[in-house]
Amino acid sequence: MTGRLQGKTALVTGATSNIGQAIAEMFAAEGAHVVVSGRNKERGTAVVGGIRASGGRADFVAADLDGSTEAARELAQDATAALGGRIDVLVNNAGVYPPTTTTDTDEETFDHVYAVNVKAPYFLTAAIAPAMAAAGGGTIINLGSWIARLGVPGSALYSSTKGAMETLTRAWSAEFGPHGIRVNAVSPGVIQPPAPEGSAPTPAQVMMHGTPAGTVGAPAAIAHAALWLASDEASFVHGTVVDVDGGRTGVAVIAA
């Protein structure tokens, strides 16, 4: 690694598995002191242990981001303390995806998904951005989704929350950009950990047939994009949603 985040601090929500874990690990490998945040202490501690074993700096801060301002403020305070007094990079990654159709969704499920996927990052950003601005600037990276722009059956609830996050990315860029805070988003495509060699294609893999990539992406693909957005290489990138989806949304799909 090249130390592209050397001396930086970062908070990654939902970092105890999958995409969030990959981002936390890559940020730490590039020199950042990372707070790994999530609900599961055992998994979070394991992620931190792996980062430290590789020579990186990381701490686990437990958080149940239920959408309340209290939970957001508590995480902001605890993460800031763990990182020595400042947060340079915030990655709003935590989210939930219940497979449900519109007609099968009850109000409790609707409220829960919006609380975790929209309210929590909204109020966490509100809690962290003022200190970022006071310190001279920072970077916020949101996680969108390819199904925010390409409809998929059974995804109305989740995709609408990710559409909200992509809209907030542009709005926050306008709001916080003049204060030195860059706000961008990564829109992942179909992402899965590498499957064992010789295993049967999953429905997700089949969904990617006919795309330029031809298969699903790995969490590291999203981590590389987040790293670029967090680094000085993206210093002129504001309010942008970076599609990392194997061409699924932007390129005509050939039936195969």
Side-chain angles (χ1 to χ4, degrees):
M1 296 293 182
T2 58
R4 291 154 78 185
L5 299 183
Q6 194 67 43
K8 300 289 188 180
T9 62
L11 165 60
V12 183
T13 68
T16 61
S17 64
N18 205 17
I19 290 173
Q21 177 179 348
I23 293 173
E25 290 172 344
M26 190 167 292
F27 279 18
E30 288 288 350
H33 181 183
V34 179
V35 159
V36 172
S37 179
R39 292 177 297 174
N40 190 303
K41 183 178 180 179
E42 183 178 355
R43 291 192 316 201
T45 300
V47 173
V48 167
I51 290 172
R52 291 177 176 176
S54 298
R57 297 182 66 196
D59 293 281
F60 174 68
V61 175
D64 183 3
L65 293 175
D66 58 4
S68 67
T69 56
E70 292 81 6
R73 289 171 182 165
E74 183 175 351
L75 175 57
Q77 292 170 357
D78 292 347
T80 298
L83 293 171
R86 77 178 198 278
I87 297 173
D88 297 316
V89 183
L90 167 63
V91 180
N92 286 313
N93 169 72
V96 292
Y97 182 2
T100 181
T101 65
T102 299
T103 54
D104 289 335
T105 302
D106 57 34
E107 187 174 6
E108 182 179 1
T109 300
F110 183 98
D111 289 345
H112 173 66
V113 174
Y114 263 83
V116 175
N117 292 7
V118 182
K119 284 185 66 179
Y122 189 98
F123 288 116
L124 184 60
T125 297
I128 290 174
M132 271 188 178
T139 303
I140 298 171
I141 302 169
N142 298 319
L143 269 290
S145 174
W146 67 284
I147 59 175
R149 275 164 289 139
L150 185 63
V152 175
S155 69
L157 178 57
Y158 177 80
S159 64
S160 67
T161 67
K162 289 304 178 178
M165 289 309 299
E166 293 190 6
T167 297
L168 283 171
T169 296
R170 292 182 284 271
W172 284 340
S173 181
E175 182 175 350
F176 299 128
H179 302 285
I181 300 172
R182 290 191 302 108
V183 186
N184 293 287
V186 180
S187 178
V190 183
I191 303 296
Q192 288 186 336
E197 188 174 348
S199 59
T202 66
Q205 289 171 322
V206 171
M207 189 181 296
M208 291 297 289
H209 285 176
T211 64
T215 188
V216 300
I222 309 306
H224 279 293
L227 172 62
W228 174 66
L229 288 174
S231 74
D232 291 340
E233 297 165 11
S235 61
F236 201 55
V237 181
H238 292 259
T240 295
V241 178
V242 179
D243 292 327
V244 186
D245 62 5
R248 189 67 175 81
T249 58
V251 181
V253 176
I254 303 171

